[in-house]
């Protein structure tokens, strides 16, 4: 089941630091030993536009690791950089922002043919829930009906 690319896909997530690169390399090798292929690599916390001396130094520290990942794993895998956000990715709005970033980068990638096909329904991006007044009233009504008896 895990070896069927029509049903299963492995996406590896790492950070551009020595330990992250080492673990990503080892994980790809371990999975390959079992015939499992990693086609996507997400590199998290990449500093794209440094605006302070600290961030410039961090970016220069990350650069060799990003180049190493591209050199060692970029040929057969799509590598997507996720920028370092000022806030934690927590809550629906920030998740939608991350989703847009991921799918825009994937759509721009022309080197990976399977991504250009239409995604199966279970892998399509989530649609933002309706924010209509009726939706909000229904949601508030449902919340109030779930209150414990001692709060009613």
């Amino acid at each position: 089941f895990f070896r069927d690319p029509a049903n299963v896909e492995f996406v590896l997530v790492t950070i551009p630091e020595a330990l992250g690169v080492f673990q990503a390399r080892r994980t790809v090798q371990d999975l390959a030993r079992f015939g499992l292929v990693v086609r996507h690599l997400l590199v998290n916390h990449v500093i794209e536009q440094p605006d302070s001396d600290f961030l410039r130094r961090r970016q220069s520290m990350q650069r060799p690791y990003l180049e190493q990942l591209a050199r060692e794993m970029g040929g057969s895998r799509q590598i997507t950089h996720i920028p370092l956000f000022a806030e934690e990715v927590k809550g629906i709005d920030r998740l939608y922002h991350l989703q847009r970033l991921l799918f825009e980068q994937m759509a721009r990638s022309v080197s990976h043919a399977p991504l250009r096909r239409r995604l199966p329904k279970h892998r399509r991006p989530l649609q933002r829930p309706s924010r209509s007044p009726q939706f909000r009233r229904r949601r508030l009504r449902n919340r109030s009906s779930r209150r414990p008896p001692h709060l009613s």
Side-chain angles (χ1 to χ4, degrees):
F1 174 76
F2 286 112
R3 293 185 183 134
D4 182 9
N7 292 314
V8 177
E9 189 169 46
F10 291 93
V11 178
L12 192 61
V13 180
T14 189
I15 56 173
E17 295 180 6
L19 183 60
V21 172
F22 172 76
Q23 288 177 333
R25 183 187 318 124
R26 191 180 73 201
T27 302
V28 167
Q29 291 169 350
D30 289 346
L31 289 172
R33 245 185 286 141
F34 295 104
L36 305 172
V37 179
V38 175
R39 291 200 175 101
H40 304 284
L41 178 66
L42 299 179
V43 185
N44 215 353
H45 301 280
V46 176
I47 298 170
E48 295 178 335
Q49 298 174 348
D51 57 1
S52 69
D53 185 50
F54 173 77
L55 290 177
R56 279 188 282 281
R57 290 194 331 240
R58 293 287 298 178
Q59 185 186 45
S60 66
M61 181 272 306
Q62 289 180 350
R63 191 172 298 121
Y65 298 114
L66 292 170
E67 291 169 356
Q68 182 179 359
L69 286 169
R71 189 174 53 252
E72 291 179 6
M73 299 187 195
S76 60
R77 289 169 200 86
Q78 178 191 2
I79 298 178
T80 303
H81 294 176
I82 308 295
L84 176 64
F85 295 112
E87 302 90 19
E88 183 178 10
V89 180
K90 189 175 182 181
I92 194 79
D93 290 331
R94 291 187 185 145
L95 285 172
Y96 280 116
H97 176 69
L98 178 61
Q99 173 190 319
R100 279 192 306 274
L101 262 174
L102 284 172
F103 282 93
E104 284 173 7
Q105 286 187 26
M106 290 172 74
R108 283 194 304 254
S109 173
V110 291
S111 64
H112 193 62
L115 290 177
R116 288 181 285 185
R117 71 180 190 277
R118 184 174 168 85
L119 290 172
K121 189 172 186 174
H122 69 279
R123 294 199 36 224
R124 290 186 192 145
L126 297 172
Q127 298 299 315
R128 182 178 211 91
S130 171
R131 299 291 183 195
S132 70
Q134 292 170 335
F135 174 80
R136 276 185 251 136
R137 275 193 300 262
R138 190 172 354 138
R139 192 176 63 193
L140 290 172
R141 198 174 329 121
N142 289 342
R143 280 186 189 165
S144 63
S145 67
R146 285 187 256 148
R147 285 188 176 177
H150 68 279
L151 293 178
S152 296

